[in-house]
Amino acid sequence: MAHYFTESFDVADIQQFMRRALSLARKGIGKTSPNPAVGCVIVRNGEIIGQGWHRRAGTPHAEVHALRDAVGLAKGADVYVTLEPCSHFGKTPPCADALIEARVARVYVGMVDPNPKVAGRGIEKLRAAGIEVTIGVLEKECRVINRPFIKHVTTTLPFVTLKSAMTLDGKTATASCDSRWVTGEASRRLVHKLRGESDAIMVGIGTVLADDPQLTCRIRGGRDPQRVIIDSKLRTPLSAKVLTVDSGARTFIATIADDPAKIRAIEALGAEVLPCREKNGRVDLPDLMAKLGGRGIQSILLEGGAGLAGAMLDNQLIDRCLFFYAPKLVGGEGIGLFNGSGAGVMADAVPLGNIAVRRCGADIIVEGEPNYRCLPA
C-alpha cells in the first residue's frame, strides 16, 4: 500500500525520525554530486537500530549503510529515508531491492525521486513486495537539501546561489573598492563551508584582476570547488592564482575571445577554456550555464562583482540569494550589489520568497529565492 503522509499518523514520532534522517543527509551535502544527499534511519519499537547516509558518489547509498548498521535486525522494522529508494542498477545495486531482501515492514519517504530513472519506480517495487509506503514526510525540508540535484536532474542546468557581503546600507565595498573585511570572521568561515558544499564557484574577470583570489575552501577537511571565471576577452594573467593554485579542482575560463596562443597557454596550466556564444560583446550566460550543467556541475556559488551579479539577475539565472549584512554603514559613493539594467519601476523588482533570517556572529544573514514568475509579463 502506498499513500501520502496525512495527519492520521503519529505525526510527532514520524517527523522525529525523519528529522534524524535529514540531519544524516546533510552530512553528505557537497560530497555526493552528481548523486543526491540522502539520510536513512531504521526504527524498531520506537528505537533507532540502524542509520546511515550517502557519503560519496559510487559508494553505497544511505539505505545500505543503515541496513548494515542494523546488523540483521531490520526484519519487520520501519525505515525513514529522505529520498525514494532507487530501483535501478547504477554504480551500486538498487536500494529498493535491499530493503525488500531485509523484509522491512514500512518505509516512510520524504520525497519522490525526480530522476526519470527512478521517479516512483522504487516506491512501486516496494509496494509490489507488500511493503507499506508513506510519501511526503517533511517533504519541503527534504527538497531543500537537494535543490541543486533536483534542478540539474530535471533541467540539466546548475543551481546558482548568489552570496554577497554588504553593510546595512547595501554597500559591498567603499568608493575606493576596499572590501576587506565587510563581515566578521564567523561569516567568512561560513562562506568557506558554502564553498566546500558547492560544485563550483564563479567570479568575473574583474574580481580576478582586482583581488587575484585562490577561490579555494580554506577550512579543515574542506573540498575545493571547481573555479569558473567569466573572461569574455581572455584577460586572465597566466600568473593568476586561479591558474596556479595547488588544488585538485579544475578551473574553467569562459570566453568569446579567439586567441589560440592564449588558449593553449591557459590549458597548458591545466585549466579548460570554454568558448561560449556571444551576446552584446560578452559571454552569453545562459549558454555558459548549459555548458557547465553538461559537465555535471549541479551547484554554483556566485561570488562575482556587481557586473556579473547584475547580468545573472537580468538573465534570471540566480536561484537563491544569501546576503550577509554587517552592522556597518559606508555611505557616500560605495559600491552596490548589482549593476546591469535592473528594474525600471518598483513593480518590476524581483520578489524574493522563502525568506529566512538568522544571525552569524555580529552579522545578519538574509536568505531568499527570486520568484521570476511573479514579474509582469
Side-chain angles (χ1 to χ4, degrees):
M1 178 180 182
H3 47 260
Y4 277 82
F5 182 62
T6 69
E7 296 299 323
S8 63
F9 295 92
D10 188 341
V11 175
D13 287 345
I14 292 172
Q15 291 188 344
Q16 170 193 346
F17 294 125
M18 188 60 78
R19 289 190 196 283
R20 176 55 186 163
L22 278 162
S23 70
L24 292 168
R26 293 187 185 100
K27 294 175 180 286
I29 293 177
K31 303 178 180 72
T32 63
S33 183
N35 293 347
V38 182
C40 178
V41 298
I42 301 175
V43 177
R44 177 190 289 279
N45 298 327
E47 299 291 336
I48 294 177
I49 61 170
Q51 54 187 345
W53 70 95
H54 186 37
R55 304 184 182 194
R56 190 175 68 252
T59 67
H61 293 181
E63 297 92 328
V64 173
H65 283 295
L67 287 169
R68 290 175 180 173
D69 192 42
V71 290
L73 300 176
K75 180 181 177 181
D78 295 339
V79 176
Y80 296 79
V81 61
T82 56
L83 184 74
E84 173 186 1
C86 62
S87 58
H88 65 289
F89 281 89
K91 293 183 178 179
T92 60
C95 291
D97 289 357
L99 294 174
I100 292 168
E101 184 178 349
R103 300 175 68 183
V104 302
R106 283 172 293 272
V107 177
Y108 294 93
V109 175
M111 62 171 287
V112 175
D113 193 334
N115 187 342
K117 294 180 179 179
V118 185
R121 294 180 181 88
I123 292 167
E124 292 173 2
K125 182 176 282 192
L126 293 171
R127 180 176 56 189
I131 297 173
E132 182 180 316
V133 181
T134 298
I135 308 166
V137 183
L138 299 183
E139 181 173 3
K140 180 179 179 181
E141 292 88 336
C142 292
R143 294 184 69 86
V144 164
I145 64 172
N146 277 314
R147 287 176 294 191
F149 170 75
I150 293 169
K151 181 177 182 184
H152 188 263
V153 83
T154 56
T155 69
T156 72
L157 297 174
F159 183 94
V160 178
T161 296
L162 168 64
K163 184 282 300 180
S164 183
M166 293 178 283
T167 58
L168 285 179
D169 55 342
K171 307 300 185 182
T172 61
T174 65
S176 66
C177 297
D178 178 43
S179 61
R180 297 193 177 185
W181 295 102
V182 176
T183 53
E185 185 178 345
S187 292
R188 296 198 297 274
R189 283 198 305 268
L190 179 54
V191 168
H192 280 281
K193 181 175 181 291
L194 292 169
R195 287 184 178 184
E197 293 177 348
S198 303
D199 288 344
I201 181 172
M202 187 163 75
V203 301
I205 182 60
T207 297
V208 172
L209 295 176
D211 300 334
D212 194 19
Q214 297 183 62
L215 303 182
T216 54
C217 174
R218 294 188 292 278
I219 57 174
R220 187 174 182 178
R223 176 187 63 93
D224 287 345
Q226 297 179 78
R227 294 167 289 273
V228 180
I229 314 301
I230 316 300
D231 184 4
S232 297
K233 297 180 181 179
L234 216 55
R235 294 185 291 155
T236 301
L238 297 180
S239 60
K241 291 177 182 175
V242 293
L243 297 178
T244 61
V245 64
D246 182 14
S247 170
R250 299 196 67 183
T251 296
F252 297 93
I253 308 292
T255 189
I256 58 172
D258 182 15
D259 186 342
K262 184 68 176 288
I263 291 172
R264 285 195 299 270
I266 289 174
E267 294 191 333
L269 294 171
E272 179 178 349
V273 175
L274 290 180
C276 296
R277 286 201 302 258
E278 178 270 339
K279 184 176 181 180
N280 299 325
R282 298 179 182 273
V283 167
D284 181 81
L285 292 173
D287 179 55
L288 172 60
M289 291 300 106
K291 285 180 166 62
L292 295 174
R295 282 162 172 75
I297 293 177
Q298 291 186 352
S299 57
I300 293 175
L301 186 63
L302 175 60
E303 290 195 23
L308 178 56
M312 290 289 285
L313 182 67
D314 288 344
N315 281 278
Q316 300 186 1
L317 294 173
I318 297 171
D319 299 292
R320 173 192 182 210
C321 297
L322 272 177
F323 299 138
F324 291 73
Y325 286 99
K328 302 175 183 178
L329 300 173
V330 167
E333 300 298 321
I335 298 171
L337 176 57
F338 295 109
N339 288 340
S341 58
V345 294
M346 195 56 68
D348 293 337
V350 179
L352 297 183
N354 295 324
I355 298 294
V357 180
R358 63 186 188 273
R359 295 291 297 268
C360 184
D363 304 323
I364 301 168
I365 302 176
V366 178
E367 178 178 356
E369 299 175 357
N371 190 345
Y372 304 109
R373 289 173 295 183
C374 288
L375 295 175

